[in-house]
Amino acid sequence: MNQDKGVIFTRRASGLVRELSWFDVFIFVVAGPAASGVIFYSVSTAADFPGASLPLAFLIGLLIFFPITLLVAMTSATMPRSGGLYIAVSRVLGPTTGYISAWLLFIGYGISSGVLGFIVVGLIGSSFSTAGLASGVAWLNTIGSAMQTPLWKTIGGVIWVALFWWIAYTGIRRVKNIMRILFFVPLVGTLIAVVWFFISGGIGGVEQAFNSTWGAGAFSAIQQKAAALGWQPAKFSLAETINALIVVIWAYTSITIINYAGGEIKTPKKSMMRGFMIGTLFVGIFYAIIVFATYSAFGGFVGSYDFLFDNHPEVLKGIMGGMVEPSVPFYFMSIVGNVWIGLVVAISIALWFANSILPGFLANSRLAFAMSMDKSFPKALSKVNRKTGSPTNAVHLNAVFCLVGVFMMTLDVSIILAVLTLTVFFIFWPYGLSAMLLPYHKPEIYNRSPVRWEIFGIPVITILGGFVFAAGWFFIYLALKEFSIPVMLVFVGVMLVGLVIYLYQQWRNKKDGVDVSKIYSQIPPE
């Protein structure tokens, strides 16, 4: 009893190990975002936004998210603890607001990791199918077709979750090493595809290479059929470019995810600023280059193909002998010539999805750990394995929600995306508000910040907080546009479950004589 006297949190030290460098922060910033926005939706929604400049849209996305990541870097350097945005919100706006936003985020990140595991199996299967159809090698198409069925995508999703659960369970050092490998494999594959697009010889060379893969005249036949069936390329439209931001925002999802593992970053005050800033600039420029390379190679053909795929798939089957979902890997495989090189590169690019799962495991388990340290979650979730430095029970709980995400993929996709978008982005508006108030409401915490810039006497952190506050409500608006009554009922149900857990924990705290106000007046221990 004596040794516990005066312990406000679940214990005096977190037990986590500071293992990550600024370069690891950079890797997580790049790998965290959902790659589907640029690798797949950038070309599979071309017919939905006629006249949009996708490269410009992705650069606009960089302008939106750079201030957000700058603010996250500043607050993470000020409060370098596991829990990230939850710590900032709960210390400024109070425990209830902090908990509700963190609870929704925990649900969203957990389910998202399972969804990605489900999707990546289908994407790899699509690469096999493309290789099989293009080369006439039947067994490749057989494997690919099987991997794209709901049954095998579910089985594969469970396998991915199990693999990353094991990696996360064995500790931060293994997570770091695996992430470095998972980062460079798809990066190299994507760079190969980008360079190939740039040196493909213009639209004439691309058409010749496409016809060599899919049959004589296939390229022009797709364009002619699309035009005959109603597709009309449009001139540049700024309005359509703005509408295309829904794709861009999805592509930048989870770019701030590493801040939830702030308690495991060496020299966080330097590493957070350097890793976040360099990583965000890299992501934005890299996204724009990928999209620009693809569209510069294929031009208006991208819109024609997407139009037929969405509205007249039977026409595509008649021209190509099969139907392949448009994606950056598909376009690369269509002009590379060698089916085996194309397959290897396409699979490596698809691994962008896989390396978004591990950051989710790391962040979500640390978020549950932080709430447990604050005694808002069950105490067992703050247990740390002394050998691995991993919060084992928090990792296990996250794996459960990942499995829920895998099986949720049998539901309507719009329901899944609407719920995920709202749960993941809900925390941004209270986070922005807390950053606005931090210098005035919690000056003792603000004075710890390594960056206390001011503009006309107003703290930069307050200005950036106002921007993020507004952006948070914009993200919520985009999510609510997709909500139906069943989706709203699901969301309300998730909220109620979280509130029941929170109220029970507060009842326990009161029963045990814990002064909750003392917890949230301090930053958690290291």
Side-chain angles (χ1 to χ4, degrees):
M1 290 293 292
N2 290 336
Q3 69 178 27
D4 292 333
K5 187 177 180 179
V7 176
I8 298 174
F9 301 93
T10 57
R11 58 181 178 277
R12 290 187 174 86
S14 70
L16 300 176
V17 181
R18 292 196 181 275
E19 182 71 30
L20 304 177
S21 67
W22 79 266
F23 185 68
D24 295 302
V25 174
F26 165 82
I27 286 177
F28 275 89
V29 168
V30 177
S36 58
V38 66
I39 300 298
F40 294 92
Y41 290 129
S42 65
V43 292
S44 65
T45 57
D48 298 324
F49 307 108
S53 170
L54 269 297
L56 177 59
F58 276 93
L59 288 177
I60 294 174
L62 173 61
L63 296 178
I64 294 174
F65 276 89
F66 189 82
I68 295 175
T69 55
L70 175 58
L71 180 62
V72 170
M74 292 172 67
T75 57
S76 298
T78 304
M79 295 171 275
R81 302 291 189 272
S82 292
L85 306 190
Y86 159 73
I87 299 298
V89 174
S90 62
R91 267 53 187 178
V92 178
L93 301 184
T96 304
T97 305
Y99 173 84
I100 290 174
S101 55
W103 165 252
L104 291 176
L105 184 67
F106 180 78
I107 297 295
Y109 273 157
I111 292 176
S112 294
S113 294
V115 167
L116 289 172
F118 182 97
I119 292 175
V120 71
V121 177
L123 296 178
I124 294 175
S126 177
S127 299
F128 274 94
S129 291
T130 302
L133 290 170
S135 64
V137 180
W139 63 268
L140 288 174
N141 190 32
T142 300
I143 293 175
S145 298
M147 292 180 70
Q148 294 177 78
T149 61
L151 173 62
W152 282 103
K153 284 193 286 188
T154 300
I155 293 173
V158 170
I159 293 173
W160 277 114
V161 169
L163 172 63
F164 287 114
W165 162 81
W166 174 76
I167 294 172
Y169 174 75
T170 54
I172 188 65
R173 182 167 297 177
R174 177 161 284 157
V175 169
K176 176 186 71 175
N177 293 333
I178 295 295
M179 274 304 301
R180 290 181 177 184
I181 296 172
L182 284 177
F183 172 75
F184 283 107
V185 170
L187 176 64
V188 170
T190 306
L191 289 175
I192 291 173
V194 167
V195 171
W196 205 280
F197 289 147
F198 279 130
I199 65 172
S200 55
I203 195 68
V206 167
E207 179 174 359
Q208 183 179 357
F210 189 91
N211 290 339
S212 297
T213 301
W214 295 108
F219 193 90
S220 60
I222 289 172
Q223 291 181 305
Q224 292 168 7
K225 286 290 186 180
L229 291 169
W231 169 247
Q232 294 181 346
K235 295 182 179 180
F236 169 74
S237 168
L238 181 60
E240 286 298 323
T241 301
I242 298 300
N243 288 336
L245 286 178
I246 186 64
V247 172
V248 173
I249 288 173
W250 174 250
Y252 281 92
T253 301
S254 300
I255 195 171
T256 62
I257 200 167
I258 186 58
N259 86 100
Y260 293 97
E264 291 157 286
I265 297 172
K266 296 181 288 188
T267 61
K269 293 185 178 182
K270 294 181 179 179
S271 295
M272 283 295 192
M273 294 297 296
R274 185 186 301 177
F276 263 109
M277 294 304 92
I278 297 176
T280 303
L281 289 173
F282 180 89
V283 167
I285 296 171
F286 189 51
Y287 278 179
I289 290 174
I290 293 170
V291 179
F292 178 75
T294 307
Y295 277 84
S296 66
F298 284 86
F301 178 85
V302 176
S304 299
Y305 188 93
D306 184 46
F307 174 80
L308 290 181
F309 182 87
D310 291 340
N311 302 286
H312 303 282
E314 71 286 349
V315 174
L316 276 183
K317 291 180 181 179
I319 296 173
M320 301 170 60
M323 186 179 65
V324 181
E325 185 175 9
S327 66
V328 172
F330 159 72
Y331 284 112
F332 172 75
M333 294 183 72
S334 295
I335 64 173
V336 71
N338 186 299
V339 65
W340 301 108
I341 294 176
L343 181 60
V344 171
V345 172
I347 292 175
S348 70
I349 294 174
L351 289 179
W352 278 123
F353 280 85
N355 72 13
S356 294
I357 300 174
L358 193 50
F361 251 99
L362 182 68
N364 230 27
S365 59
R366 273 53 178 182
L367 179 58
F369 168 85
M371 290 193 286
S372 178
M373 285 285 285
D374 282 351
K375 299 182 179 179
S376 292
F377 251 22
K379 182 178 180 180
L381 294 174
S382 63
K383 178 183 177 182
V384 176
N385 187 305
R386 292 184 179 180
K387 292 182 179 180
T388 64
S390 173
T392 54
N393 291 331
V395 171
H396 300 335
L397 180 62
N398 182 61
V400 172
F401 280 94
C402 291
L403 291 175
V404 171
V406 173
F407 291 101
M408 272 187 64
M409 287 302 289
T410 58
L411 302 176
D412 184 82
V413 173
S414 63
I415 294 177
I416 299 169
L417 291 181
V419 171
L420 290 183
T421 300
L422 186 57
T423 53
V424 169
F425 283 114
F426 182 89
I427 197 172
F428 277 91
W429 76 263
Y431 169 64
L433 181 59
S434 67
M436 290 173 64
L437 298 176
L438 180 63
Y440 309 103
H441 191 59
K442 294 285 185 178
E444 69 279 8
I445 296 178
Y446 175 68
N447 289 334
R448 297 162 52 103
S449 175
V451 183
R452 294 193 296 274
W453 303 326
E454 292 186 355
I455 298 179
F456 299 115
I458 302 175
V460 169
I461 199 170
T462 297
I463 298 172
L464 292 173
F467 177 86
V468 175
F469 175 79
W473 284 109
F474 175 65
F475 297 150
I476 290 174
Y477 160 73
L478 291 177
L480 290 177
K481 284 174 61 179
E482 303 298 326
F483 265 49
S484 60
I485 292 178
V487 174
M488 182 60 73
L489 291 175
V490 170
F491 179 74
V492 171
V494 169
M495 288 280 287
L496 288 175
V497 171
L499 285 172
V500 168
I501 295 173
Y502 177 72
L503 292 173
Y504 173 75
Q505 287 298 126
Q506 296 308 311
W507 173 79
R508 285 288 305 271
N509 291 334
K510 184 176 181 180
K511 182 180 178 182
D512 295 339
V514 176
D515 187 348
V516 176
S517 64
K518 290 184 177 180
I519 295 176
Y520 292 93
S521 65
Q522 301 180 36
I523 298 176
E526 295 191 56

